[in-house]
Amino acid sequence: MNEEWKKEQSRIEWIQQVIKEKIENLKVSMGGLKEGIIEQRRDFWKDVTINLDHPDDVLETFMSIKQQAELLAEQERNHGQFYKKVQQLIRLNQSPYFGRIDFRETGEQETERIYIGIASLMDQQDEEFLIYDWRAPISSLYYDHSPGEASYLTPSGKIEGKMELKRQYIIKGSKLKGMFDTGVTIGDQLLQEVLGGTANTQMKSIVATIQREQNHIIRNEKSKYLVVQGVAGSGKTSAALQRVAYLLYRYRNSLTSENIMLFSPNPLFNSYVATVLPELGEENMVQTTYQQYLFSRFGKKFTVEDPYSQMEYTLTAMNEPEYERRMKGIRFKSSVAYKKIIDQFVANLSIQGLICKPIYFRGEVLFSAQSIHDLFYSFDTNISIPNRLKLTAEHLIKDLSTFAREEREKDWVLEEAELMDKEDYLEAFRQVQKKETQDEESFDGVEQEERFLAKRIVSKHLKPIRRILKQLKFLNVEALYRELLESEEFAWPEDWRLICQDTMHQLEKRTIPYEDATPYIYLQDQLEGRKANTMIRHLFIDEAQDYSPFQFEFLQQQFPNSKMTILGDMNQAIYAHSIHAPTLLNADLEGEEKITLTKSYRSTKPIVEFTREMISGGEFIEPFHRDGERPSVTVVEDLESLQSGIMDCVEKLKGKGHETIAIICKTAAESEKAYELLKDKMEVRMIKKDANSYEKGTVILPSYLAKGIEFDAVILYNASEQQYGRETERNLFYTACTRAMHELHLFSLGTCSSFVPRQYV
């Protein structure tokens, strides 16, 4: 093996020399291109023939400019591609490859050595592959098979043969640090190397350690809906991001990062995963949160309650008289049953009941609400509501043009023309000079000027009304939503009238509760006929257990042409509408494939064995065999003891080299108290709901903001029965504890939560 090690080390050095030469050649090409681009920009107008004397000359001039611009754009595009290749080679140079398989195809005499890395590398003549991209069809052998009979799929069919060797490497810089032959799964030695390191403020690429079940997720191309139920730390999100990279590679001629969108749990998580794709040489897909998507739809119409504020309410307001009522409202408004009621309500509006707003001009009614209503219902009822609203708008715009012509003769227009300031007048005068009419002899210059000014003034005043009509703003969606809530036609849950009173009270304050946000926008879309987003072809929904059935059907409507990858964990369902309720993960979707991941890689074996006892079905969670310290539970009697205990714990964790330490609280309110208790005694930062990133060190944050993120060590601030005693808080408790990679320590102010396994108390 010593001789083999030398051969492998020698190959690494040769590969790095090839990479170095390729980088130098590309930089020479880039330099020449850059000089050419600078020169072309400088001489752009010298090479353009400008002649505007006749229409044909104008066209020729335009084509000349267009040709020069396209030539410049092509050179800039080539320069960008060269730069991207150089960056890819620099990344490849750090660790050229992580795997090798020796494969002999059926019918062939020679065995091919296939080295696998984060990107492909050709020899100096660009004829032979020295390294295969991990996404190439042949690379799937590495992830799916052990030595022996093996096969892989290509676009042209199935290739069969025999794998004679499967080897894994740990390469850092130019040195071979580890090498081992292995079976079907990525060897424990390599995983130990990767998982044993410290947590980072950015998620890592996992291409070197992709497991067989994760590879199935990454390379799935057929399913309309790919649903992944994965336990905490099973690598489902990492696999999803590698899936994005795979799709961009597989369909590189027809798919770009702009065609892929990720809905993540919060902005902090977006920052956490932002470097994974660039590390693999791909541009990031569109990233947003469901909350941000909703906010963009409402604009300034309402202050929309965010899901974290709703979460704070559900976790802190249990003693308020309307609490149970609101919980019931949240659950119902998140259901498909509520969506069906809205559909029926809209169907009824096709016949009668549409509510419109009057349109005013200069303080007087221009179009009354009743006249707009009557005009709408004058159109054939077989025409859809959105199309009838467009016809209504078009008719009103025509009426507006007639009104404008009549209004130009009014005294107020003449008065405004006389009071026009000098700059506006000169601008109008210049417009008059340009607008030479054929019948100019029929009236003198003064009359022409007055008419033009009158038209300009009236048009300016009517511009906002034209916008209202084109955007269908005469439709009173708010009044219709209120009408829906107060309607007695439908089968409402118990206490519906009181639930609605609470909602109405919020609407009067120009605030819309989070549970009403999706139904409100859905109603608006059903009426106005919002155009669907057909540009997105792959939608990724992370933490899918937090999405209600209503929200999912709404997303299906918004992205009708999109395939979906749906990822989550039922044991981490923490929102009021998702606890013990249907979610995306257990829905039956046509064209779906479900994959279950039960092995947890994030946490040490002792932490997984601790956390899996908290939940139903925990016995099916399989820990990765990585040793570590047993989780600790410390009961304290007062805040002073809590403060000193946490401070001592943090110091010990830092002494062991842990770089990311999270003090996780139940709520934002508790986080504030913890921060006030500790900020003067130790170096600590607080993460709030609007945080976009975090740095290494010790942080305090509420449990729901920690979703999807991992830390070297986690300290649960107060794991008492008082804080975590309700069954609805079990998943929240589990979620907080499963953020820990290496160490988990619980402090309890008084009696410990019953969710903690008894043998640890």
Side-chain angles (χ1 to χ4, degrees), residues 496-543:
W496 181 253
R497 188 175 296 278
L498 292 173
I499 291 169
C500 290
Q501 284 178 6
D502 297 337
T503 306
M504 297 293 193
H505 181 61
Q506 292 299 316
L507 293 175
E508 285 167 11
K509 295 191 292 185
R510 310 312 298 158
T511 297
I512 189 159
Y514 184 65
E515 61 266 27
D516 287 279
T518 299
Y520 188 101
I521 293 295
Y522 178 75
L523 172 63
Q524 181 175 311
D525 284 356
Q526 293 304 101
L527 296 171
E528 296 180 359
R530 179 178 169 83
K531 191 176 180 182
N533 186 330
T534 54
M535 185 176 175
I536 300 299
R537 290 167 52 195
H538 286 270
L539 191 69
F540 286 74
I541 302 175
D542 203 2
E543 302 294 347

Side-chain angles (χ1 to χ4, degrees), residues 615-626:
I615 53 172
S616 173
E619 65 273 14
F620 298 110
I621 298 174
E622 183 185 354
F624 176 70
H625 293 286
R626 182 164 64 87

Side-chain angles (χ1 to χ4, degrees), residues 114-239:
I114 298 153
Y115 287 84
I116 300 166
I118 62 167
S120 296
L121 179 71
M122 307 286 283
D123 62 13
Q124 288 92 333
Q125 292 75 39
D126 287 337
E127 293 176 353
E128 299 288 336
F129 277 99
L130 303 180
I131 302 172
Y132 283 86
D133 191 297
W134 66 277
R135 297 165 289 187
I138 199 169
S139 300
S140 66
L141 288 167
Y142 175 75
Y143 299 113
D144 288 343
H145 294 281
S146 57
E149 299 299 319
S151 63
Y152 65 97
L153 292 175
T154 71
S156 58
K158 189 176 184 181
I159 305 294
E160 296 181 332
K162 184 178 182 182
M163 186 193 296
E164 297 176 351
L165 176 76
K166 180 174 181 178
R167 180 169 291 172
Q168 296 166 35
Y169 307 94
I170 298 172
I171 302 170
K172 294 182 179 178
S174 60
K175 298 297 180 185
L176 180 61
K177 299 291 186 181
M179 180 177 82
F180 14 81
D181 297 347
T182 187
V184 63
T185 57
I186 307 306
D188 282 358
Q189 299 100 317
L190 186 56
L191 270 173
Q192 290 281 10
E193 173 77 19
V194 174
L195 300 173
T198 57
N200 205 303
T201 55
Q202 309 281 178
M203 180 177 277
K204 302 168 187 172
S205 164
I206 62 162
V207 293
T209 58
I210 291 168
Q211 303 296 290
R212 186 174 188 174
E213 65 273 16
Q214 293 169 334
N215 195 44
H216 190 188
I217 296 167
I218 292 165
R219 294 175 187 261
N220 182 294
E221 297 178 26
K222 297 178 181 178
S223 305
K224 169 75 172 174
Y225 302 106
L226 181 61
V227 181
V228 181
Q229 157 63 41
V231 301
S234 57
K236 53 187 177 293
T237 303
S238 296

Side-chain angles (χ1 to χ4, degrees), residues 278-294:
E279 273 183 17
L280 298 170
E282 302 289 355
E283 293 182 7
N284 259 326
M285 64 283 183
V286 182
Q287 289 178 248
T288 189
T289 66
Y290 188 74
Q291 167 197 346
Q292 289 169 333
Y293 186 74
L294 281 181

